Amino acid sequence: MASAGGGALSILEYFGGEDGNRCGYCKSEAGNFSHGMWAHSLTVQDYQDLIDRGWRRSGKYVYKPLMSQTCCPQYTIRLSAVNYQLNKSHKKVLKKVQKFLQEGEVSHSTSDGISVEAMDSQADGAVTCSFSCKDKSEIPEDELKPLSVEGEETEKQHGDKEMEKNIGAEIHTEHGDPIETTTLMTNAHSMPKPGKGADTTRPPCRKAKDIRKERRLQKMLLQKKDPVSEQPAVTPTPPKAKASGIKSIEDFIDVPDHENVAHRLEVKLVRSSPPSSQFKATFQESYQVYKRYQMTIHQDPPDKPTVSQFTRFLCDSPLEPDTRPDGISCGYGSFHQQYWLDGKIIAVGVIDILPSCVSSVYLYYDPDYSFLSPGVYSALREIAFTRKLQRKAADLCYYYMGFYIHSCPKMRYKGQYKPSQLLCPETYSWVPIEKCVPLLESSKFSRFNGNPKEGDKDYLTELNRVRVLHKRTVMPYSVYKKRRKGPSDETVVRQYATLVGQTCAERMLLYRS
């Protein structure tokens, strides 16, 4: 079965269950357990199906937590972007950024209830570098040259036809990398002057509603009415605004240009894999922002955030670029959204655009701009971006925020983005987060699907139909196990196929040496 990405194939090397690693959330030295695969290549549809079964990528390493064993279970969370409604704290962040852009006002207030670091690493970066993954493929080059597909006549529905594909060749195709831009003109970065404190010669400030109430009473007295008998016992609350009058996220972001504003913000979308010309031209500047972020926010030593580490973690991607006739000019695959303020990069959101979603991978930013709550602001921008893409591609309607970790209080902020759903770790069905939280309060690992009879709908049923890449040849497992020399590896292959599901197991290629 060929993918929509020009016949691209997914090739994965399965490592099995990992030994316990250090947990980036509870700091347990050996409590983090997961399964892992190295993705030599991955179609966007296969990755979509994998993350809908609890997998997630870090660079080219794809991992799935052992939910019932790991110290901090990580539940895949997704937001219905098309139905997203702003809450008060998110509105405050949008207004704060707009005020800074328009007037140059800097607010360091934390009264909006949002931590400066909230959503600073949407891809759960605390675990990204703890895996013992490979820096590059260990498959001999001649193993990934032209592939021939062999199988019995009864296996023809699995694409078992003679084919040739140079898997190792670099792909230089680009899709124009259109720039998504919101412009607000700017000049100087003006800091607020220190205040002088309260003026004791003037009366204290009063609430606006108290002033209005007093004026209303005065008006009633002037009309010679009895204020006591006519005033209701409880002041009625004003009616809520109609749904049509509620501001959308776009109302806050898509602000018209003005002449005399303080700052200019542009958000540019550039393809990171394969790297576009815009990505290459801004690589060093982007890396320097990442280095400052890691050293300041995560206290990394200066020698840790190297160029190679940055490249492996946030630039290398196994996703094959994919264009489809659905109107999305940027195409599908891996991208960086660069936030340019007054002509310099101040933040970068790493994202994957998949058939059903925009998946947030990571965010890093210049620590000097922490006062703008860049984690929250970038998440809101990515939600708006998802909504924009959905208008061109109807199925692309979700925003994936990585993992929700209820056992780690500082990672619960993702639940504030509503309406959100969590992935049931046993049935791989989606359940509203409001139904999941009470279960997680009593047990950190929980099955969310309330129907005990319902199981994994894509459970492995035919092991012999799993596709294997062995000695430059693609074959079903039924042929591979006859040709293989040495001890049987059926247990490992079965575990892999069970975790990825029957559909992906028949479509992707499992590399076996």
Side-chain angles (χ1 to χ4, degrees):
M1 178 178 176
S3 79
L9 291 169
S10 297
I11 302 177
L12 298 116
E13 197 170 352
Y14 180 63
F15 298 146
E18 294 282 340
D19 295 331
N21 290 309
R22 184 176 184 276
C23 177
Y25 304 107
C26 69
K27 310 305 179 184
S28 165
E29 286 301 322
N32 183 19
F33 291 89
S34 66
H35 295 282
M37 303 187 290
W38 186 259
H40 297 280
S41 63
L42 195 57
T43 68
V44 291
Q45 184 60 61
D46 286 339
Y47 185 49
Q48 177 73 68
D49 292 346
L50 287 176
I51 63 175
D52 285 341
R53 292 182 65 83
W55 293 86
R56 189 153 180 83
R57 79 173 184 88
S58 174
K60 291 188 175 183
Y61 186 74
V62 187
Y63 63 99
K64 175 179 167 59
L66 274 75
M67 300 292 281
S68 61
Q69 297 180 33
T70 194
C71 52
C72 297
Q74 301 160 55
Y75 297 90
T76 302
I77 182 172
R78 75 178 185 183
L79 167 76
S80 175
V82 292
N83 297 316
Y84 170 71
Q85 293 291 337
L86 283 164
N87 62 32
K88 285 186 178 180
S89 62
H90 295 164
K91 284 181 183 177
K92 285 184 178 180
V93 172
L94 292 172
K95 289 177 180 178
K96 176 171 61 176
V97 172
Q98 287 301 330
K99 199 159 191 176
F100 169 72
L101 294 172
Q102 293 174 356
E103 303 174 15
E105 181 174 324
V106 177
S107 170
H108 294 273
S109 170
T110 57
S111 60
D112 56 9
I114 299 175
S115 159
V116 168
E117 284 190 53
M119 285 206 75
D120 68 331
S121 55
Q122 301 152 32
D124 319 301
V127 295
T128 50
C129 298
S130 62
F131 300 110
S132 54
C133 56
K134 307 177 183 181
D135 292 345
K136 57 184 179 180
S137 168
E138 293 182 4
I139 297 182
E141 191 173 339
D142 61 350
E143 288 284 318
L144 293 179
K145 285 289 171 76
L147 306 179
S148 64
V149 183
E150 294 186 13
E152 298 146 350
E153 287 297 314
T154 56
E155 307 282 353
K156 286 186 183 293
Q157 66 269 35
H158 310 303
D160 297 335
K161 297 179 180 179
E162 199 69 12
M163 70 173 85
E164 289 192 356
K165 179 174 178 62
N166 189 345
I167 301 296
E170 290 187 15
I171 301 172
H172 298 287
T173 307
E174 296 183 15
H175 307 292
D177 298 316
I179 296 175
E180 302 291 338
T181 305
T182 298
T183 304
L184 287 154
M185 306 201 170
T186 111
N187 277 314
H189 179 105
S190 55
M191 298 295 289
K193 296 179 180 179
K196 297 179 181 179
D199 187 347
T200 56
T201 65
R202 302 183 66 180
C205 293
R206 293 187 299 159
K207 290 184 178 180
K209 73 176 183 180
D210 292 335
I211 295 173
R212 288 197 301 270
K213 188 184 294 184
E214 184 177 305
R215 287 175 180 170
R216 189 164 58 246
L217 287 170
Q218 289 174 348
K219 185 176 181 180
M220 293 168 72
L221 285 170
L222 288 172
Q223 294 174 347
K224 296 182 180 181
K225 293 184 179 181
D226 181 4
V228 176
S229 61
E230 300 220 3
Q231 186 177 356
V234 178
T235 305
T237 55
K240 291 185 178 179
K242 295 180 180 179
S244 59
I246 297 175
K247 278 192 173 184
S248 70
I249 190 170
E250 289 81 8
D251 291 331
F252 287 94
I253 291 174
D254 299 335
V255 179
D257 295 346
H258 296 288
E259 288 292 333
N260 300 316
V261 294
H263 299 284
R264 175 191 175 98
L265 177 68
E266 294 178 281
V267 181
K268 301 179 181 180
L269 182 72
V270 297
R271 184 178 285 280
S272 55
S273 178
S276 66
S277 56
Q278 299 100 317
F279 179 83
K280 292 176 182 177
T282 57
F283 179 87
Q284 275 301 325
E285 184 175 356
S286 184
Y287 162 66
Q288 290 301 326
V289 174
Y290 169 76
K291 186 173 182 178
R292 287 197 63 203
Y293 171 80
Q294 292 295 124
M295 291 170 59
T296 305
I297 304 298
H298 294 295
Q299 287 79 51
D300 280 0
D303 59 341
K304 185 177 179 181
T306 62
V307 170
S308 60
Q309 187 263 350
F310 168 66
T311 302
R312 288 197 310 272
F313 177 29
L314 296 177
C315 304
D316 289 347
S317 169
L319 297 186
E320 296 290 340
D322 188 343
T323 54
R324 303 180 183 190
D326 55 15
I328 298 182
S329 56
C330 60
Y332 298 83
S334 297
F335 298 83
H336 282 195
Q337 271 195 325
Q338 302 173 339
Y339 292 75
W340 290 76
L341 182 70
D342 299 343
K344 71 172 185 177
I345 297 175
I346 65 162
V348 177
V350 183
I351 61 173
D352 292 328
I353 301 178
L354 305 176
S356 300
C357 73
V358 169
S359 174
S360 179
V361 178
Y362 201 70
L363 173 86
Y364 57 93
Y365 55 84
D366 186 333
D368 288 348
Y369 295 90
S370 294
F371 66 89
L372 291 176
S373 302
V376 177
Y377 183 71
S378 67
L380 297 174
R381 290 297 299 246
E382 288 169 9
I383 292 169
F385 179 57
T386 306
R387 289 159 64 100
K388 181 177 181 179
L389 294 179
Q390 193 273 336
R391 291 194 285 271
K392 298 288 183 67
D395 292 339
L396 207 165
C397 56
Y398 293 103
Y399 175 59
Y400 282 54
M401 296 175 281
F403 289 131
Y404 174 83
I405 308 167
H406 194 76
S407 58
C408 181
K410 71 176 184 179
M411 294 300 292
R412 295 180 186 177
Y413 65 85
K414 296 179 183 181
Q416 297 172 5
Y417 295 78
K418 296 178 180 180
S420 289
Q421 301 170 314
L422 297 186
L423 185 69
C424 176
E426 293 184 356
T427 64
Y428 303 115
S429 57
W430 294 98
V431 180
I433 191 170
E434 292 79 9
K435 293 184 178 180
C436 303
V437 168
L439 299 172
L440 295 174
E441 287 289 340
S442 59
S443 174
K444 64 181 182 180
F445 170 74
S446 180
R447 170 194 168 104
F448 301 140
N449 189 310
N451 184 357
K453 296 181 180 179
E454 190 168 338
D456 177 6
K457 293 179 180 177
D458 199 30
Y459 186 78
L460 177 69
T461 55
E462 292 287 342
L463 182 65
N464 285 336
R465 289 159 65 169
V466 173
R467 296 184 85 193
V468 177
L469 171 61
H470 179 60
K471 293 185 177 180
R472 295 184 297 167
T473 304
V474 176
M475 61 189 76
Y477 180 72
S478 57
V479 174
Y480 162 75
K481 68 181 179 182
K482 293 176 183 177
R483 294 187 177 186
R484 175 181 167 81
K485 297 178 181 179
S488 171
D489 60 356
E490 182 173 328
T491 301
V492 173
V493 175
R494 182 179 294 277
Q495 184 182 64
Y496 152 82
T498 300
L499 291 168
V500 303
Q502 183 76 41
T503 302
C504 281
E506 291 186 31
R507 201 166 56 203
M508 305 189 304
L509 304 183
L510 172 64
Y511 171 77
R512 304 303 292 168
S513 58

